[in-house]
Amino acid sequence: MDFVEKLVQPIGGLLQNVISLPALPGEPSYEVYSGLTGNISAVIPTMAFSADGAGSGLTGEEARLRAVAETLERYASCVYDEKQMIWATGLELEGEALDLDRIPRCSDSELRHPRCPLQKPDKNLPIRWVRGLSLTDGRLVWLPAIMVYLNFDTMSAGEKIWLPISTGCAAHRTLEQALLGAICEVIERDAIAVTWLQQLELPKLRLDAYPEWVQPYLDNLKRNRHVQQIFFDATTDIGIPTFYSVQLAPHNKQLAAMVMCSTELNPYQALTKLMRESASSRIALQNGMKHPEHLDDFMKVYDGATYMGSHERLSAYDFLLQSPASKNLSGIRALDTGHPGTDLANLVNRLKSKGHEVFAVDLTTDEAKRAGLYAVRVIIPTLMPLSFSYRARFLGTPRLYDAPKFMGHAVRGEQELNAWPQPFA
């Protein structure tokens, strides 16, 4: 813990401060902390803003550590130098770069809408590329920089193919653990997007058996009678334990419903992560943030979540809440071996067997190295991305229509997809 705490110094540190965020009355009570870098543009001109991160846990120490790590992760994903990049077209780098024909895309109808912020990927247009590594076969590959960095402004028409998002960014004490966390997050976001857009009737999760260390989390939830959390098995065809939840608080006019999702190799870790991270999300979503009046203007992380949290939109969750199927938690097998290197190899091979290539970029900064942490970005282009833009939901991505079929669900065509905005934040 001490080595990470060195990052927190009001003057001269990477993090300006880490503060405790108290739960609101009647809300689940976990320790929640938030970290903030402050404006460090005097040192790094490309970062004329503050990066922040949150962490939660049963103890203040673990919550604070997670907040520092997430803030570092956000910071690392925004630090870049143009000297790392090259300008080229996809055709010029053919065979050496990620094939732009494989990345998620908006549908033709989305692209025709005047408010769509993106365009179809075009290998004839120059964009910036940065070096990455294929974890699938070990080769070096050029990746679109717009897909790697956060707060990364487009500088050409060809770069208007992606909306920068934190999906696939992770920080941890070893490179293997960071990569595992990042890959699991990409799988999680795929499940979130497919579940909501295709309105999958996921089986409810019956908490029939679990290790003793899970009990404090369930006790915490039971003590808060005003908030009910229903769990669903959202594990996709990839087979990594993924749980989706809907928290209901009908008395709360501002946040009557909230969704969360978690993917972990260990199902019990996924379950407890859902509960503790829900606590920090509830604080954030009730912090006075306002969503735009029109759906066309939804672009920010919390726009859809604050809009869909309203009591008057509870019926939008009926496809989940009224699902007749159920599944025992005890029937979901843990896939972790206790050895991160082995787990990473197994996970990459599992994705490869399903036709998905995994790419990674090392984002570790000097500050992270001195604190003994690694930061990474993972891209799995054939999985469905999460989008907060209502007019760029990547509805032309094949995965959106293939995944339900692979999972044994009915497949909705584009015109039948969920019209409600994405409630996850």
Side-chain angles (χ1 to χ4, degrees):
M1 183 68 175
D2 290 343
F3 58 91
V4 175
E5 283 292 345
K6 291 179 181 178
L7 294 171
V8 186
Q9 299 177 41
I11 300 177
L14 175 62
L15 274 74
Q16 189 178 70
N17 200 3
V18 181
I19 60 172
S20 174
L21 302 177
L24 297 172
E27 298 280 302
S29 54
Y30 285 88
E31 294 288 342
V32 179
Y33 278 77
S34 177
L36 183 67
T37 63
N39 189 336
I40 54 179
S41 58
V43 181
I44 303 176
T46 57
M47 285 194 64
F49 53 88
S50 297
D52 59 8
S56 56
L58 292 175
T59 68
E61 183 178 11
E62 67 172 324
R64 184 180 173 91
L65 178 61
R66 288 189 178 111
V68 173
E70 183 168 285
T71 306
L72 172 69
E73 169 201 310
R74 294 288 190 268
Y75 161 76
S77 65
C78 299
V79 177
Y80 61 88
D81 190 322
E82 293 283 348
K83 295 176 183 177
Q84 298 171 258
M85 305 172 197
I86 62 170
W87 278 95
T89 67
L91 288 178
E92 290 170 336
L93 295 178
E94 198 156 19
E96 301 178 56
L98 172 60
D99 185 351
L100 295 183
D101 288 339
R102 298 179 63 203
I103 71 173
R105 63 200 53 233
C106 292
S107 67
D108 290 340
S109 61
E110 284 185 293
L111 293 170
R112 285 193 296 268
H113 196 280
R115 297 301 303 277
C116 180
L118 301 180
Q119 66 178 33
K120 188 176 181 179
D122 189 339
K123 290 192 281 190
N124 292 291
L125 298 178
I127 64 173
R128 285 167 292 177
W129 303 81
V130 66
R131 271 296 196 191
L133 177 72
S134 169
L135 298 182
T136 305
D137 62 15
R139 78 186 193 282
L140 290 175
V141 62
W142 292 103
L143 300 170
I146 191 70
M147 298 179 72
V148 174
Y149 299 105
L150 291 177
N151 293 286
F152 191 78
D153 294 330
T154 58
M155 293 183 65
S156 70
E159 291 185 329
K160 293 182 178 179
I161 56 175
W162 196 252
L163 297 172
I165 189 171
S166 65
T167 297
C169 291
H172 216 291
R173 291 176 178 173
T174 70
L175 188 58
E176 291 85 358
Q177 288 172 304
L179 288 167
L180 279 169
I183 293 172
C184 283
E185 186 173 75
V186 179
I187 295 171
E188 168 200 304
R189 301 297 172 84
D190 169 77
I192 292 169
V194 173
T195 292
W196 187 255
L197 288 169
Q198 285 283 355
Q199 293 184 291
L200 302 185
E201 294 184 352
L202 301 177
K204 292 186 177 70
L205 201 59
R206 289 195 297 263
L207 309 185
D208 61 323
Y210 42 82
E212 187 176 343
W213 62 267
V214 175
Q215 192 61 53
Y217 294 88
L218 296 174
D219 290 343
N220 194 325
L221 189 60
K222 290 177 183 177
R223 284 195 297 270
N224 295 274
R225 299 177 182 176
H226 298 296
V227 178
Q228 178 188 12
Q229 191 162 13
I230 302 99
F231 303 98
F232 302 86
D233 180 20
T235 304
T236 66
D237 57 300
I238 297 170
I240 308 302
T242 300
F243 299 151
Y244 192 98
S245 79
V246 179
Q247 274 197 349
L248 297 175
H251 69 287
N252 190 325
K253 300 300 181 184
Q254 182 181 2
L255 193 60
M258 186 187 77
V259 304
M260 292 293 293
C261 192
S262 177
T263 297
E264 297 284 343
L265 294 178
N266 186 301
Y268 305 109
Q269 290 178 354
L271 180 69
T272 53
K273 183 180 177 183
L274 267 183
M275 288 183 270
R276 63 175 173 79
E277 290 199 345
S278 292
S280 56
S281 290
R282 293 193 70 83
I283 292 173
L285 291 173
Q286 297 180 86
N287 196 31
M289 290 173 291
K290 302 292 184 183
H291 56 74
E293 183 178 350
H294 301 290
L295 297 183
D296 287 357
D297 298 321
F298 280 25
M299 288 288 292
K300 295 181 180 178
V301 174
Y302 297 116
D303 287 343
T306 53
Y307 180 84
M308 294 304 298
S310 173
H311 186 275
E312 65 191 56
R313 298 184 183 95
L314 282 176
S315 62
Y317 302 90
D318 284 350
F319 73 94
L320 285 164
L321 300 176
Q322 295 179 9
S323 173
S326 62
K327 189 170 187 177
N328 287 337
L329 174 61
S330 62
I332 299 175
R333 185 168 65 94
L335 302 177
D336 53 334
T337 66
H339 302 283
T342 301
D343 289 342
L344 179 60
N346 290 343
L347 185 52
V348 171
N349 286 335
R350 179 182 286 262
L351 284 157
K352 181 181 179 180
S353 71
K354 300 290 183 179
H356 306 289
E357 188 168 9
V358 183
F359 300 94
V361 178
D362 187 352
L363 302 179
T364 309
T365 62
D366 291 341
E367 299 91 345
K369 287 180 181 178
R370 289 195 293 268
L373 295 172
Y374 294 84
V376 300
R377 159 78 82 173
V378 161
I379 297 169
I380 308 177
T382 46
L383 291 186
M384 185 66 193
L386 173 69
S387 175
F388 301 114
S389 170
Y390 190 75
R391 287 303 169 192
R393 297 190 289 170
F394 296 93
L395 304 185
T397 304
R399 172 70 179 173
L400 177 57
Y401 309 96
D402 292 339
K405 178 175 57 180
F406 296 151
M407 296 165 65
H409 293 275
V411 180
R412 296 173 182 266
E414 182 178 350
Q415 300 307 314
E416 303 170 295
L417 294 173
N418 198 343
W420 291 109
Q422 174 58 248
F424 178 88

